[in-house]
Amino acid sequence: MAVEDQADPLGTLPLDAWHRRRGGRMVAFAGYAMPVQYSGPSGGIVAEHEATRHGAGLFDVSHMGQLLISGSRAEAALEALLPIDLATLRSGESRYSLLLDEAGGILDDLIVSRWPGGFFIVVNGATKWDDIAHLRARLPGAGTGKVVLEHLEQRALLALQGPQALAALERHVTGPAPLGALAFMRGGQFAVGGVDAWISRSGYTGEDGFELSLPAAEVERVAELLCGEPEVRPAGLGARDSLRLEAGLPLYGHDLDRTTDPVSAGLAWAIGKRRRQQGGYPGHARIADLLASGPERRRVGLSLEGRLPAREGALVFAADTPVGRVTSGGFSPSLAHPIAMAYVAAAHAATGTALTIEVRGRRLAALVTPLPFVRHRYIRHGAGQ
């Protein structure tokens, strides 16, 4: 996670005043003022990280773009832009996907859910305006009724993450089925403290947890309600970044960008089997070549000794030959040593390969390590399934 130098005025999230009252240290991120951590005895990045690992952390992710694509031609139009097999996406189910350019470069990564009225898409905050423009320009007949794109600007997004998230949230939830019946990447319409919300069992920390899309006008009431539970504390961008790094999850603009492709990034699993065979999405020809011949470089995990972390941009070496560059790095609170993700030449990407990373004029020993660094704890089958 990089804090931005911001010349333009920052956007304000619906919970801005709430964050400040709770001691949130606000920084520029994705064009918004957002809390990187909170002050007080229970605040700080490591404390918030550990609280999410063992209890539940509440993250404000309302900077993300929430889109609804509907209409009689919505499914076909989306399949022309994403390498996803929408025919296999059931109502209430969510799936990770990628927005690609014609060369197979990654414009953004996103989550697509099938709602009763269309497709709900959550895109990254830093890219949402470009994504919206890209989609509007390429969705055939957008705005005609056959394909309609709505930017749900009046909705907020919260992520309640951690092993105690279910216990804390279900005390306040009513709905057509028990919240615990949801499995990972499944969602439905519920009410939280009387506020209508779309809740999915998903998140960006590697822990079990939920994401709540709800009216922005009601989000402070819901946030206050959840943080009133003994298991829950607010958590900021710092803990979100350390958790997602331990989980081996890429961050757009750092581990993914237009110069990366799904195969090199280790995300080929996000391309549906039928789509691999039939194509019909941007970049298919190049991606098919990469799947057949293998990429020149691969995204890998790196474990370092000592306590000095390798940050984004650090060069990776095999002996004295540069073979890659770090894209994300930091100290792992859970493992008590530094970890990083990097793109390295494919010949040096095998698990167990010994490399070095240049940090502050020193060469630090690093070992190629399987991702994730910390085991995911998603609930693959909901209660009663």
Side-chain angles (χ1 to χ4, degrees), residues 76-99:
L78 267 183
E79 279 212 343
L81 296 180
L82 305 176
I84 190 171
D85 187 350
L86 287 175
T88 64
L89 188 68
R90 297 171 292 173
S91 181
E93 188 175 13
S94 301
R95 196 168 297 165
Y96 180 84
S97 193
L98 300 160
L99 192 63

Side-chain angles (χ1 to χ4, degrees), residues 216-286:
E218 303 286 356
V219 68
E220 183 170 328
R221 181 156 68 93
V222 172
E224 195 68 21
L225 193 69
L226 294 177
C227 282
E229 295 300 325
E231 304 92 340
V232 181
R233 68 178 62 180
L237 290 170
R240 189 167 182 257
D241 195 55
S242 58
L243 288 159
R244 70 92 192 169
L245 179 58
E246 291 184 346
L249 301 175
L251 175 62
Y252 194 84
H254 301 264
D255 312 291
L256 306 176
D257 58 30
R258 201 164 186 163
T259 70
T260 60
D261 63 84
V263 184
S264 302
L267 300 175
W269 54 266
I271 304 173
K273 181 179 178 181
R274 176 175 65 82
R275 306 308 307 280
R276 291 192 191 200
Q277 297 169 348
Q278 297 179 2
Y281 61 86
H284 171 255
R286 178 167 181 253

Side-chain angles (χ1 to χ4, degrees), residues 51-71:
T52 305
R53 282 279 184 237
H54 302 292
L58 184 68
F59 299 83
D60 180 9
V61 289
S62 300
H63 65 299
M64 307 284 277
Q66 300 184 67
L67 315 178
L68 181 63
I69 298 178
S70 59

Side-chain angles (χ1 to χ4, degrees), residues 11-338:
T12 301
L13 298 179
L15 281 177
D16 184 87
W18 185 85
H19 293 310
R20 295 176 191 275
R21 287 198 305 271
R22 285 183 167 264
R25 183 163 74 83
M26 309 300 281
V27 299
F29 184 79
Y32 291 87
M34 296 186 66
V36 68
Q37 64 183 72
Y38 294 83
S39 61
S42 63
I45 292 172
V46 173
E48 293 161 23
H49 178 111
E50 293 298 327
T52 305
R53 282 279 184 237
H54 302 292
L58 184 68
F59 299 83
D60 180 9
V61 289
S62 300
H63 65 299
M64 307 284 277
Q66 300 184 67
L67 315 178
L68 181 63
I69 298 178
S70 59
S72 60
R73 295 287 297 162
E75 184 166 321
L78 267 183
E79 279 212 343
L81 296 180
L82 305 176
I84 190 171
D85 187 350
L86 287 175
T88 64
L89 188 68
R90 297 171 292 173
S91 181
E93 188 175 13
S94 301
R95 196 168 297 165
Y96 180 84
S97 193
L98 300 160
L99 192 63
L100 303 171
D101 65 19
E102 295 299 332
I106 301 174
L107 300 173
D108 199 7
D109 63 337
L110 47 85
I111 300 292
V112 183
S113 307
R114 188 186 288 272
W115 277 15
F119 295 95
F120 176 57
I121 301 180
V122 178
V123 301
N124 282 297
T127 58
K128 69 182 176 184
W129 299 111
D130 288 340
D131 289 356
I132 291 169
H134 182 89
L135 291 168
R136 288 195 192 281
R138 289 163 179 79
L139 287 170
T144 65
K146 293 183 178 179
V147 181
V148 178
L149 188 158
E150 299 175 67
H151 181 196
L152 306 179
E153 295 186 77
Q154 302 307 311
R155 296 188 75 83
L157 193 64
L158 297 177
L160 184 65
Q161 302 283 289
Q164 298 301 315
L166 173 61
L169 183 56
E170 67 181 351
R171 296 181 193 126
H172 302 284
V173 166
T174 57
L179 188 65
L182 290 180
F184 180 60
M185 297 297 272
R186 295 299 302 269
Q189 196 69 41
F190 295 85
V192 186
V195 177
D196 289 339
W198 176 267
I199 301 179
S200 62
R201 200 163 198 166
S202 56
Y204 190 52
T205 63
E207 290 289 338
D208 182 28
F210 300 86
E211 293 181 308
L212 296 75
S213 173
L214 68 166
E218 303 286 356
V219 68
E220 183 170 328
R221 181 156 68 93
V222 172
E224 195 68 21
L225 193 69
L226 294 177
C227 282
E229 295 300 325
E231 304 92 340
V232 181
R233 68 178 62 180
L237 290 170
R240 189 167 182 257
D241 195 55
S242 58
L243 288 159
R244 70 92 192 169
L245 179 58
E246 291 184 346
L249 301 175
L251 175 62
Y252 194 84
H254 301 264
D255 312 291
L256 306 176
D257 58 30
R258 201 164 186 163
T259 70
T260 60
D261 63 84
V263 184
S264 302
L267 300 175
W269 54 266
I271 304 173
K273 181 179 178 181
R274 176 175 65 82
R275 306 308 307 280
R276 291 192 191 200
Q277 297 169 348
Q278 297 179 2
Y281 61 86
H284 171 255
R286 178 167 181 253
I287 290 170
D289 287 344
L290 289 167
L291 286 168
S293 61
E296 294 182 356
R297 59 178 190 153
R298 293 186 181 276
R299 180 171 64 94
V300 300
L302 296 170
S303 293
L304 289 77
E305 299 176 358
R307 300 188 67 83
L308 187 62
R311 301 296 186 184
E312 181 178 0
L315 289 176
V316 181
F317 291 83
D320 290 325
T321 302
V323 295
R325 189 178 295 272
V326 170
T327 53
S328 288
F331 190 85
S332 166
S334 301
L335 301 176
H337 63 75

Side-chain angles (χ1 to χ4, degrees), residues 361-374:
R362 298 167 54 191
R363 294 281 186 87
L364 303 181
L367 202 66
V368 176
T369 304
L371 296 173
F373 298 100
V374 174

